[in-house]
Amino acid sequence: MAVSDQQLLELVLNTDCYKELDAIEKQKVQKAMMGKAASTPRSNIAKVAFYLARRITPVSSDPPPPPPPPPPPKKRYAPRTHNLGNRDQDPRFCCKPEYGVVDMGTHFVDEMGCTYTKEPYGTNPDGTRDRAYIVPGLKGADSMDGAEPCDPYSANGISVPPYPGDPYLQTGSYHR
């Protein structure tokens, strides 16, 4: 009759050689018997017990948890290109596709759902963007001099684009 791995392990554990091992060697075998990860013992008799214990109770290898899903892409507002004008001209926003703005035919919509006009280009008629918020360094809408909102310009020691500040901040400063 064949001897089982469990019987062989018990024989090894009852030998004088095994009983004389230090606590660290025995602890490695005990961990193997419980199916826990452990380093291989140094002595041959402990190695025999260790490998028999591994056959009887393999290390539980739960599959690693799946990686977390990537965060959803940050939705963006169309960038403000001109602040509110001195004579109450509406602030302007650049409605180009590279800023996440979609042409809906009669108007533009940014990724946050704000709408912008085509004529005059780049105003926010539904008031979802704060008219009075000032982005430091941008010209007022009264200083556009016939230019379009996305046209580059220099003023106040800066050149735009790139637009100063973070036009995509999702705060009350940019959105009511």
Side-chain angles (χ1 to χ4, degrees):
M1 179 183 321
V3 180
S4 71
D5 287 340
Q6 182 65 45
Q7 290 170 326
L8 289 173
L9 178 60
E10 288 171 14
L11 285 172
V12 171
L13 296 178
N14 288 320
T15 64
D16 290 336
C17 294
Y18 183 81
K19 289 178 183 177
E20 292 176 11
L21 291 175
D22 62 28
I24 294 172
E25 294 283 276
K26 288 181 180 178
Q27 183 181 27
K28 292 176 183 180
V29 173
Q30 288 296 320
K31 284 184 176 182
M33 291 169 61
M34 293 186 299
K36 294 183 179 178
S39 59
T40 308
R42 295 179 315 268
S43 70
N44 287 337
I45 193 72
K47 285 180 185 176
V48 171
F50 180 86
Y51 291 127
L52 283 168
R54 280 281 182 253
R55 281 190 199 171
I56 297 166
T57 312
V59 174
S60 60
S61 58
D62 294 335
K74 184 177 177 181
K75 291 184 177 181
R76 303 176 292 173
Y77 290 107
R80 182 182 300 260
T81 63
H82 293 78
N83 290 319
L84 180 68
N86 289 331
R87 294 183 302 279
D88 202 39
Q89 295 90 339
D90 287 322
R92 299 299 173 98
F93 303 89
C94 187
C95 296
K96 289 187 173 182
E98 58 261 33
Y99 297 113
V101 179
V102 177
D103 186 342
M104 304 300 286
T106 58
H107 61 284
F108 299 103
V109 177
D110 68 16
E111 292 171 347
M112 294 300 291
C114 298
T115 61
Y116 306 91
T117 59
K118 285 193 160 189
E119 192 57 46
Y121 179 77
T123 61
N124 177 235
D126 65 2
T128 52
R129 300 288 295 270
D130 185 351
R131 290 181 85 235
Y133 182 75
I134 301 297
V135 176
L138 292 182
K139 285 182 173 182
D142 56 333
S143 301
M144 291 179 65
D145 301 327
E148 293 294 323
C150 300
D151 291 346
Y153 67 85
S154 294
N156 306 316
I158 64 160
S159 293
V160 293
Y163 302 103
D166 184 353
Y168 306 122
L169 286 176
Q170 298 182 27
T171 68
S173 303
Y174 281 85
H175 188 257
R176 288 194 250 211

